[in-house]
Amino acid sequence: MRLGPEQRDESVSQPGESRPTRRATVAALEDLLYRPLSVLDEHGFVRVIDYMGDDAAIVQAARVSYGHGTKRVSEDQALINYLMRHRHTSPFEMCEIKLHVKLPIFVARQWIRHRTANVNEYSARYSILDNEFYVPSPEHLATQATTNRQGRGEVLDAREADRVLNALRAEAGLRRAEAERAYRGYLGLLNEDATGAPIDPARPGVARELARMNLSLNFYTQWYWKTDLHNLMHFLSLRADPHAQHEIRAYAEVILGVVQRWVPMTHKAFLEYRLNAATISATGLAVIRRLLAGETVAQDNSGLPPREWRELMAQLGRGV
Ligand SMILES: Cc1cc2nc3c(=O)[nH]c(=O)nc-3n(C[C@H](O)[C@H](O)[C@H](O)COP(=O)(O)OP(=O)(O)OC[C@H]3O[C@@H](n4cnc5c(N)ncnc54)[C@H](O)[C@@H]3O)c2cc1C
């Protein structure tokens, strides 16, 4: 993965500038600061640029509302669990994090829908985009799902998988060739070669803001992204979920690892009460009560539409 010269300087010079602070710091996250954490391929990364707060800051904010009744360290996890369970979210807003993310443009389009963050994106009006693009590895080039219009399909049987894999390898090669061609076209419009020298000194290049328009969505962009822990968990609950597209999920999983280092108690509560928990509808709850009472319940007498019935049975680990 590539960092620009300013970013390399920043990651080298910052530790040299360290000085004592009275602010709360988290040793496990300090170790990670400025280090790119690889995502997807050799280009994608997430790196922590800055952060504010820790588990203790959440507990302290909560005690402003609950008083000093629960003061023992052993009770901090219980208090954070309580906040998470009861969606008392504002104490989590006391913590903030700033990330530098390098991501394919099609992932950025999904990510930017999360409006409760501050974003500063690399400008392709001022700077020339790198010749870096994402091509999925064959195992992630799945067929279209038939049950979920937004998803990828099931695993195929061995013979079919082999045939599809060969086709996908060829497809990946084609995508790579197309992206290379698009980048050559981009440089051609700019009238610059890979070193920045004019290809034809006799003619002017097209403006960067126009030259970029033929690049495809798999080219990489980068941004600084700052958000608070409450909104970060909302992002993660949607994007680290199995329904999220593999590529954005890969980023969410790396960020989950960062959250674990930064606020381990909150991370634990988040997995328990949000990410790995389930929301059950009122009718679904009634079905569970009937099942617990020993009743035989089928979809047609459950009150649930077929899809919700299938989802509930999957949540309960029962085949339908
Ligand atoms: C699996 C999946 C599939 C998706 N498919 C599509 C799709 O097909 N098409 C599509 O367009 N989008 C799609 N999305 C994007 C989705 O609809 C949301 O825009 C995105 O997930 C951001 O969520 P959010 O608005 O809750 O987050 P944020 O923008 O971070 O907002 C967080 C919360 O703040 C509140 N909020 C923020 N801004 C406003 C506002 N202006 N008005 C009212 N409340 C606000 C809301 O309560 C919101 O939940 C998909 C998302 C996922 C995870």
Side-chain angles (χ1 to χ4, degrees), residues 110-117 148 150 225 227 230-231 234-235 237-239 241 243-245 248:
Q110 296 182 339
W111 195 310
I112 202 70
R113 300 299 306 279
H114 296 265
R115 296 156 290 179
T116 44
N148 174 356
Q150 286 198 333
W225 192 73
T227 191
H230 163 58
N231 286 302
H234 179 64
F235 172 85
S237 67
L238 293 170
R239 303 304 183 175
D241 182 271
H243 293 98
Q245 182 171 340
I248 195 163

Side-chain angles (χ1 to χ4, degrees), residues 1 21 31 70 85 116 162 173 189 207 240-241 243 247 277 280 311:
M1 83 206 59
T21 177
D31 288 346
T70 53
R85 269 199 329 276
T116 44
D162 216 36
L189 285 174
D241 182 271
H243 293 98
E247 284 78 12
I280 311 276
E311 285 171 4

Side-chain angles (χ1 to χ4, degrees), residues 264-317:
M265 290 185 193
T266 302
H267 174 263
K268 200 170 166 193
F270 175 66
L271 294 194
E272 178 66 17
Y273 301 108
R274 293 278 303 276
L275 196 60
N276 298 327
T279 304
I280 311 276
S281 68
T283 309
L285 206 55
V287 168
I288 294 171
R289 290 200 180 103
R290 287 166 63 193
L291 288 171
L292 286 174
E295 212 180 303
T296 303
V297 188
Q299 185 268 318
D300 53 11
N301 69 358
S302 69
L304 289 171
R307 186 173 183 157
E308 283 188 40
W309 169 258
R310 283 197 304 275
E311 285 171 4
L312 178 66
M313 289 304 110
Q315 282 172 320
L316 299 179

